[in-house]
Amino acid sequence: MNEIHILGKYPMYGELEVQGSKNAVLPLMAASLLHRGVTTLEHVPDITDVGCMVRILESLGAVVVREKSRMTIDASCISFCEIPLEEVCKMRSSIMVLGPLIARMRRAVTYYPGGCSIGRRPVDYHIRLLRELGIKILEEDGRIEAVAENYCGTVITLDFPSVGATENAILAATGAKGETVICGCAREPEIVELCAFLQAMGIETVGAGTDRIRVWGQISKRDPHVRIHGDRIAAGTYLAAAAVAGGEITLTGAPVTSMKATLQALCGCGCLIQTEGDHIHMKAPRHLRTIPYLETTVYPGFPTDMQSILLAVQCCGAGEGRMQETIFEGRFETAAQFNKMGARISVESALPGCEGCISAAGCDGMGYIARIQAGEGLHGAHVTATDLRGGAALVVAGLGAMGETIVHQCHHIDRGYEDMVGNLQKLGARIHRITGT
Ligand code: UD1
């Protein structure tokens, strides 16, 4: 049993420090494999995806020590280059280890990665970029083997600004002789954070945060020591929670500049938001508004990771709206769970060729526009998390619903949120967790 019980409509008040960013820490942990010494990371979130990456690094020979939110990774002796299948199945970010491992060891073996069930999520961009760098890739029965002797920097191009493929290409390029130019890059803040970290290791990069990044330089002997930025998605989730429950909260350590699209959306729902430095102060409106149209897109647009969470907010508003998902075709699975709580969402339209994805929203997995019809607001129900952000969104919906909501399968939430229940309790939410057999 792994359930979260929520009594909705209790306003939240108080201050919360935003956890370190999941999507920033995972590539940094992978990048630590490049350094033949000790890397120190501060403000590392206590989430299960980090635990998974720790096990991957340890299986390769690294020594990882964690003391509260500080983590040291001693990668002086890396003796293996095969990532264990059981960890690969749990987390898509395991693919991030491919780039640094090939750069350092000249050989790396992994498998097609797992992760959330939000769509097909292939790794073809990663593989194509590595091949363009001159790395030989052998694929057989889900196993991916990368082999390279010496490879030289060149110009490589992404067809779509994939975050993970951009990061993997940057990491692999650190092992190339000379300069690599990566075109069509993703511009997410986590890429800027990765490049700043590589800088601390002696690798030069120019252009992080734009669609063209140059990488050159050599790993120095200097031990890097960096602090992980606040998690923009976790921050947005707590703001959404207070928006639907009511009340007034302040977040500290928030990455305000990278949250513009999320803050704009919450303002569109009627929330009053003030920012100062890394503080966000939000007052929930008496009555939430539904935004007529919202579309997920690549950074700096509205993030796909906030989609289900904003959908929960939309369901608590008065009025009709549409949300379009343009990144992951399976993200609307949670819509069917919201409907159990009294929401009136229909998922429409089609993405050609996404037959593999099965949506519970009644669209055979082909839908990518959610139409939210005006309803009576949400009521408590038994609902089931099927992915990380969808699970968090169900908690948000429960906080805005009348009566009791029970969220099942909440281990998904632990992949990206550090003590979500404890944090919400601190803010006054009526929420508790039941674990056991
Ligand atoms: C990262 C984030 C995830 C976020 C996503 C988009 C981490 C650990 N995860 O995931 O939280 O939702 O960015 O902002 O940082 N694609 C392919 N082939 C590939 C790679 C991607 O077709 O080889 C497609 C995906 O299926 C998806 C789109 O490209 O439709 C974007 O994916 P991508 O940006 O790569 O997401 P991730 O890096 O996996």
Side-chain angles (χ1 to χ4, degrees):
M1 193 196 296
N2 199 347
E3 299 168 353
I4 295 178
H5 292 230
I6 308 150
L7 272 183
K9 294 280 178 204
Y10 283 89
M12 290 165 42
Y13 295 93
E15 194 174 288
L16 188 70
E17 197 199 334
V18 179
Q19 69 178 62
S21 162
K22 166 179 106 61
N23 289 355
V25 76
L26 296 172
L28 263 59
M29 289 174 74
S32 71
L33 288 170
L34 294 167
H35 176 58
R36 292 169 200 268
V38 180
T39 293
T40 305
L41 304 175
E42 306 278 358
H43 202 219
V44 174
D46 187 8
I47 53 176
T48 55
D49 270 12
V50 164
C52 187
M53 189 58 94
V54 167
R55 289 190 295 278
I56 290 174
L57 299 183
E58 286 175 340
S59 72
L60 301 171
V63 178
V64 184
V65 177
R66 217 190 142 128
E67 199 186 320
K68 296 192 178 154
S69 65
R70 172 179 296 174
M71 178 179 283
T72 57
I73 303 164
D74 184 347
S76 309
C77 301
I78 295 300
S79 33
F80 299 98
C81 32
E82 185 151 347
I83 303 160
L85 177 61
E86 62 269 27
E87 302 303 337
V88 172
C89 296
K90 288 182 199 147
M91 184 180 66
R92 181 176 168 82
S93 296
S94 55
I95 193 75
M96 296 311 310
V97 180
L98 202 56
L101 213 45
I102 193 76
R104 173 155 174 185
M105 307 292 281
R106 306 282 141 175
R107 182 171 173 267
V109 177
T110 188
Y111 301 85
Y112 281 97
C116 279
S117 60
I118 54 175
R120 292 165 300 155
R121 307 192 78 177
V123 290
D124 51 335
Y125 302 154
H126 297 248
I127 287 173
R128 189 155 358 114
L129 288 176
L130 297 182
R131 282 194 171 129
E132 281 186 38
L133 268 174
I135 296 161
K136 203 167 153 194
I137 307 275
L138 308 160
E139 296 172 84
E140 203 180 3
D141 296 333
R143 183 176 184 270
I144 305 169
E145 179 168 6
V147 190
E149 285 305 322
N150 290 323
Y151 52 102
C152 293
T154 179
V155 179
I156 59 178
T157 305
L158 277 129
D159 297 330
F160 176 84
S162 152
V163 178
T166 302
E167 291 167 341
N168 232 340
I170 294 169
L171 291 167
T174 64
K177 197 164 168 226
E179 181 181 287
T180 300
V181 181
I182 309 165
C183 302
C185 294
R187 295 183 287 160
E188 266 67 2
E190 293 76 21
I191 290 165
V192 178
E193 209 166 334
L194 174 64
C195 288
F197 176 65
L198 291 175
Q199 198 99 35
M201 276 187 182
I203 297 290
E204 298 296 333
T205 64
V206 167
T210 74
D211 64 354
R212 192 168 179 274
I213 301 178
R214 287 163 51 211
V215 184
W216 75 97
Q218 288 210 327
I219 302 287
S220 65
K221 292 212 167 80
R222 201 168 59 226
D223 284 341
H225 188 150
V226 299
R227 181 180 164 86
I228 310 296
H229 290 177
D231 191 308
R232 61 195 171 107
I233 307 300
T237 307
Y238 290 113
L239 293 175
V244 298
E248 209 170 329
I249 66 164
T250 301
L251 299 180
T252 62
V256 174
T257 46
S258 63
M259 289 180 67
K260 275 190 189 145
T262 297
L263 298 182
Q264 250 168 25
L266 288 167
C267 286
C269 295
C271 299
L272 288 175
I273 295 180
Q274 284 176 324
T275 62
E276 196 184 336
D278 66 357
H279 285 42
I280 303 176
H281 182 77
M282 194 200 76
K283 188 173 180 199
R286 195 181 288 266
H287 300 291
L288 278 167
R289 290 196 294 266
T290 308
I291 304 169
Y293 181 74
L294 192 60
E295 177 183 296
T296 65
T297 180
V298 294
Y299 189 82
F302 183 76
T304 175
D305 283 349
M306 280 301 296
Q307 185 251 94
S308 338
I309 294 151
L310 234 291
L311 189 55
V313 180
Q314 295 277 72
C315 293
C316 295
E320 302 191 348
R322 283 183 309 140
M323 284 185 79
Q324 178 157 5
E325 172 60 52
T326 71
I327 311 288
F328 289 113
E329 67 278 7
R331 281 263 202 224
F332 281 132
E333 279 211 25
T334 311
Q337 303 299 312
F338 292 142
N339 285 348
K340 287 188 193 169
M341 300 175 73
R344 294 170 65 203
I345 306 171
S346 54
V347 181
E348 301 169 1
S349 194
L351 274 183
C354 85
E355 296 80 11
C357 145
I358 299 165
S359 165
C363 62
D364 298 332
M366 304 282 276
Y368 71 114
I369 293 182
R371 201 175 287 276
I372 306 130
Q373 289 164 285
E376 304 288 306
L378 300 181
H379 57 73
H382 281 263
V383 287
T384 304
T386 55
D387 69 90
L388 161 59
R389 304 300 172 189
L394 291 173
V395 171
V396 170
L399 292 165
M402 288 299 291
E404 189 183 27
T405 297
I406 300 174
V407 183
H408 299 268
Q409 303 285 347
C410 1
H411 61 276
H412 289 289
I413 299 171
D414 303 332
R415 289 191 43 212
Y417 294 86
E418 180 176 285
D419 192 17
M420 183 188 233
V421 168
N423 284 332
L424 291 167
Q425 279 172 346
K426 274 183 218 148
L427 295 171
R430 304 284 174 105
I431 183 167
H432 67 276
R433 184 158 183 164
I434 299 179
T435 43
T437 46

